[in-house]
Amino acid sequence: MFKRDVQNIKDLILKNLRTQGLETPLLQKRLIDSWKDVVGEMIANYTDNLYIRNQTLYVHLTNPAIRADLSMMRRELVKKLNAHVGSQVIADVQFH
């Protein structure tokens, strides 16, 4: 008999994404999409623009009071967002 090289489909897909350079953009998209789930509906309503550059999530908030509150919770937000995605995608959050 011959031995088959059986692999998990998830591992094959991740390996393929990694070789094509698409894993990081996919994780970044998942992290941005998880913003509403992590911070809640009320805070998400005051969010205009989200983008990631150099492992920093930049968030534009329309309410200065919420911006100040979230600035004090930056480290906790980074942990929660990364945990929601299941990977270390960002290292910091900046609010403007």
Side-chain angles (χ1 to χ4, degrees), residues 23-42:
E23 182 182 31
T24 301
L26 178 63
L27 289 173
Q28 289 176 347
K29 172 75 168 112
R30 287 178 53 202
L31 187 130
I32 288 172
D33 290 345
S34 71
W35 174 256
K36 184 177 179 179
D37 296 333
V38 172
V39 299
E41 180 87 26
M42 187 195 80

Side-chain angles (χ1 to χ4, degrees), residues 21-72:
L22 299 173
E23 182 182 31
T24 301
L26 178 63
L27 289 173
Q28 289 176 347
K29 172 75 168 112
R30 287 178 53 202
L31 187 130
I32 288 172
D33 290 345
S34 71
W35 174 256
K36 184 177 179 179
D37 296 333
V38 172
V39 299
E41 180 87 26
M42 187 195 80
I43 293 174
N45 287 337
Y46 291 103
T47 303
D48 270 350
N49 191 15
L50 296 167
Y51 63 94
I52 297 174
R53 185 179 300 145
N54 297 330
Q55 290 190 321
T56 301
L57 175 64
Y58 293 91
V59 181
H60 183 262
L61 295 165
T62 58
N63 186 317
I66 292 175
R67 184 180 316 127
D69 288 344
L70 291 179
S71 292
M72 290 184 271

Side-chain angles (χ1 to χ4, degrees), residues 35 56-59 74 77-78 81 90-95:
W35 174 256
T56 301
L57 175 64
Y58 293 91
V59 181
R74 282 182 22 216
L77 283 171
V78 169
L81 288 164
I90 60 170
D92 194 17
V93 179
Q94 295 291 322
F95 302 101

